[in-house]
Amino acid sequence: MSASSLLLHRNLFSFTFSSANTILTKPYFATSIKSMEEAQHNLPSTDSSISESVINRNYPKPITAPPPPISKDIELNRATEASSKSILFNLTRDHILYEDEWLMAVNKPKGIYCESVLSSAPQIIVDSQLNEFHLANRLDRDTSGVMLITKSHKVAAKLVKVFTEHKVRKSYIALCIGSSSTPNWSRITVKSGHGRSKHGAWRVYGASDVGRVLPGGSFVRDMETTFEVVSANGEKTKLCEEERVIVVEEGEQELSCDGDGEKDDVVVVVRAFPRSGRTHQIRLHCQYLGIPIRGDVKYHGLYEWRGRRFEGHELHAECLSLDHPVTGDSMVVRAPLPCWAAAGDG
């Protein structure tokens, strides 16, 4: 495939999203990521400067802002602290949410790396002779909640397929800080692109940019999350049957998330249902919606607020629903909510 056809191929298809009060039609990139990679690999090598120039001129532009400069030092301090805590961490029976002979679900604490949870798992399991423990899903360092650990290679392979085919229903809960006013929606779905910018930071891209080449040779991938407002300023929100749908496009800007960290800010607790599994997906979409997660300094969340400094973002993996990889039975695993989720106003 030539460079020109590679760049034009993305405009061949379209699709339509509809809801009770929103109908949006946007261009859609229908070629698989694999074919894109093959196309890039097969670009003519006789004139690499021309090929590189063509690609460079057509890098998609990210929608959301890059991390603020202050985030680098804060994230480094948080990582150092988490490393120290993770070295000393030991999984206990109190962390176990579910267990059978094939797998177990644990409630990962905030500020602990997944690898430390996995490495300590054999210590609390009596019949762990196989020593074939694997993480079925991963959570960010500061994200707490449900994490699955399998006890054999075969079960791990089955769960990888289940997650890859998006047959697991996941729900998260997050405490966000918006500016000035509460969201004008109670339920919303955001469809966008996802990828790394030239500076290496994860960013939101336009939905029609899915499949396009990014600096470094990676590609924009699809990303979709549905959000529901649980409460605003401590008051429960009644969900409407209507669902708003936003399809993010290049040239748009993220919704306003400017706030001074004082009385004008609105505390919003949201429940998130990611329909894809991209890195930092919920955090990125919260930033785009103008309600960054409290403490999430990398994505413009307030880390100092009302006289208190937050040591990590407030995002919790609340529930996993799936068919058991061996028995086929439906299973739902829930983790207890952290205090900030129950209180609603921190």
Side-chain angles (χ1 to χ4, degrees), residues 8-228:
L8 293 174
H9 207 66
R10 53 183 289 270
N11 297 318
L12 297 179
F13 300 91
S14 66
F15 63 151
T16 302
F17 298 116
S18 63
S19 68
N21 62 346
T22 307
I23 298 178
L24 297 170
T25 301
K26 298 292 180 179
Y28 178 68
F29 186 83
T31 300
S32 68
I33 295 299
K34 181 177 180 181
S35 65
M36 288 293 297
E37 292 171 345
E38 292 174 348
Q40 185 195 32
H41 179 73
N42 293 326
L43 284 175
S45 58
T46 55
D47 196 349
S48 59
S49 61
I50 294 178
S51 299
E52 183 178 357
S53 175
V54 170
I55 293 175
N56 284 341
R57 286 201 305 267
N58 288 276
Y59 282 145
K61 296 180 180 179
I63 306 296
T64 51
I70 195 174
S71 67
K72 184 175 181 180
D73 289 338
I74 294 175
E75 283 293 298
L76 179 60
N77 290 336
R78 288 177 177 178
T80 302
E81 177 72 17
S83 295
S84 299
K85 290 172 60 178
S86 296
I87 290 173
L88 301 174
F89 176 77
N90 285 308
L91 197 67
T92 69
R93 300 304 304 182
D94 292 337
H95 294 108
I96 306 302
L97 302 171
Y98 171 87
E99 184 181 3
D100 59 29
E101 60 183 295
W102 300 287
L103 58 83
M104 67 177 179
V106 302
N107 185 15
K108 185 188 91 68
K110 180 178 181 177
I112 299 294
Y113 287 107
C114 293
E115 290 77 9
S116 295
V117 178
L118 178 65
S119 63
S120 64
Q123 302 172 15
I124 63 169
I125 299 176
V126 177
D127 56 343
S128 59
Q129 295 91 342
L130 289 177
N131 195 27
E132 296 178 354
F133 294 88
H134 300 269
L135 291 174
N137 65 311
R138 305 179 68 89
L139 298 176
D140 295 338
R141 177 192 66 217
D142 293 327
T143 301
S144 57
V146 182
M147 196 172 75
L148 292 181
I149 298 176
T150 60
K151 298 181 180 181
S152 74
H153 298 324
K154 290 183 178 180
V155 177
K158 290 182 178 180
L159 271 183
V160 166
K161 184 178 181 181
V162 170
F163 275 93
T164 302
E165 295 177 350
H166 306 298
K167 293 181 179 179
V168 180
R169 179 174 170 82
K170 298 173 281 187
S171 70
Y172 292 71
I173 194 162
L175 191 148
C176 307
I177 305 292
S179 60
S180 302
S181 60
T182 58
N184 59 1
W185 46 267
S186 64
R187 181 186 289 112
I188 194 169
T189 293
V190 182
K191 302 171 186 280
S192 74
H194 168 274
R196 285 189 186 273
S197 68
K198 63 180 179 180
H199 302 294
W202 295 108
R203 309 279 287 279
V204 172
Y205 288 83
S208 61
D209 290 325
V210 172
R212 293 181 63 186
V213 180
L214 289 168
S218 62
F219 295 89
V220 178
R221 300 178 184 273
D222 64 298
M223 179 166 64
E224 178 178 343
T225 315
T226 296
F227 293 91
E228 296 177 351

Side-chain angles (χ1 to χ4, degrees), residues 172-290:
Y172 292 71
I173 194 162
L175 191 148
C176 307
I177 305 292
S179 60
S180 302
S181 60
T182 58
N184 59 1
W185 46 267
S186 64
R187 181 186 289 112
I188 194 169
T189 293
V190 182
K191 302 171 186 280
S192 74
H194 168 274
R196 285 189 186 273
S197 68
K198 63 180 179 180
H199 302 294
W202 295 108
R203 309 279 287 279
V204 172
Y205 288 83
S208 61
D209 290 325
V210 172
R212 293 181 63 186
V213 180
L214 289 168
S218 62
F219 295 89
V220 178
R221 300 178 184 273
D222 64 298
M223 179 166 64
E224 178 178 343
T225 315
T226 296
F227 293 91
E228 296 177 351
V229 176
V230 177
S231 66
N233 285 338
E235 296 184 5
K236 299 294 182 181
T237 301
K238 183 178 180 181
L239 288 177
C240 298
E241 292 183 2
E242 295 180 347
E243 178 181 349
R244 184 178 173 187
V245 177
I246 292 181
V247 181
V248 181
E249 287 302 350
E250 183 176 343
E252 297 178 1
Q253 293 184 347
E254 63 191 82
L255 304 184
S256 174
C257 59
D258 296 328
D260 57 9
E262 299 297 336
K263 61 182 180 180
D264 290 335
D265 290 329
V266 178
V267 180
V268 183
V269 176
V270 296
R271 183 166 279 113
F273 305 93
R275 298 181 183 177
S276 47
R278 307 306 178 201
T279 302
H280 300 175
Q281 173 171 331
I282 296 170
R283 298 164 63 185
L284 281 163
H285 274 165
C286 282
Q287 178 191 6
Y288 171 77
L289 289 171

